[in-house]
Amino acid sequence: MNKKELLETVEALSEQINKAELDEVEVETEEFRIRLSKRPPMPPVPPMPPMPPMAAPGLAPAVATAAVDVAVKSGNTGSSEPAHSGKIIKSPIIGTFYASAAPGKPAFVSVGSKVKKGSVVCIVESMKLMNEITSEFDGTIAEIYVSDAQAVEYDQPLFRLD
C-alpha cells in the first residue's frame, strides 16, 4: 500500500467513525496498523508533591539545638579554671551549614551579634531540606566554629555564646 492509498483509508475510516458515532476504530494488516479515536488522549499524570519533612521517632525537630556549658582552660597556667565560659550551639543533624538564608544575603548572626532564645542562627541542609537552627538561650555570639557551606556532623559545635 502506498502513501496515497493509506491516506485514503484513514480518511474513509474517519468518516465511518463520525457516521456510526463510534469512539474508536482500529484496523491492522500485515503492512500497517491504524487506530483512530475521537477521545482526547489522557493527560499525563501530574507528579506527586514532595513529602513534608518528618522527624525521626524520639528525636526533637531540627530546629532544636543542644546547649552545654564550656570551660576553656588557660593555655599558659595549666590550671583548670575557665578563661571563657558560655553556651555551645551544636548541630542537631548531619548536613551542610549555611550562615545565611540564600547566597548573597546577610548572615543570620556574626561574632558580637545578640541572640534571643528561639532566634534563627543558621540553616543546616539535610536531604535537600533546609532546617532552621535556633538558639535555646539568650546571649552574644562569641565564636563561630564553622564556615559557610561546610559539612557538619550531628552534635558538632557551631557557635559559642557568652
Side-chain angles (χ1 to χ4, degrees), residues 10-150:
V10 169
E11 287 174 354
L13 288 172
S14 296
E15 286 178 26
Q16 291 301 315
I17 288 175
N18 289 332
K19 286 181 186 174
E21 295 183 18
L22 297 173
D23 287 334
E24 188 174 290
V25 170
E26 187 171 332
V27 176
E28 187 172 343
T29 69
E30 288 181 12
E31 296 177 31
F32 63 88
R33 177 175 176 246
I34 298 174
R35 181 173 174 260
L36 301 173
S37 177
K38 284 186 188 179
R39 288 179 267 152
M42 294 294 289
V45 177
M48 294 290 292
M51 295 293 291
M54 298 177 67
L59 294 179
V63 294
T65 58
V68 286
D69 288 319
V70 281
V72 179
K73 293 183 181 180
S74 174
N76 56 6
T77 64
S79 72
S80 62
E81 289 190 291
H84 299 284
S85 65
K87 302 284 185 183
I88 298 292
I89 299 174
K90 293 184 176 184
S91 178
I93 54 177
I94 296 171
T96 304
F97 171 89
Y98 293 107
S100 62
K105 298 280 186 176
F108 290 106
V109 296
S110 57
V111 173
S113 296
K114 302 249 189 247
V115 294
K116 298 251 185 226
K117 181 177 182 176
S119 62
V120 176
V121 292
C122 67
I123 290 175
V124 175
E125 177 187 9
S126 181
M127 297 176 61
K128 307 234 183 224
L129 296 174
M130 300 299 186
N131 301 283
E132 291 183 339
I133 308 304
T134 60
S135 178
E136 287 188 352
F137 37 79
D138 297 340
T140 303
I141 301 288
E143 287 184 78
I144 301 174
Y145 297 118
V146 292
S147 57
D148 197 43
Q150 178 181 334

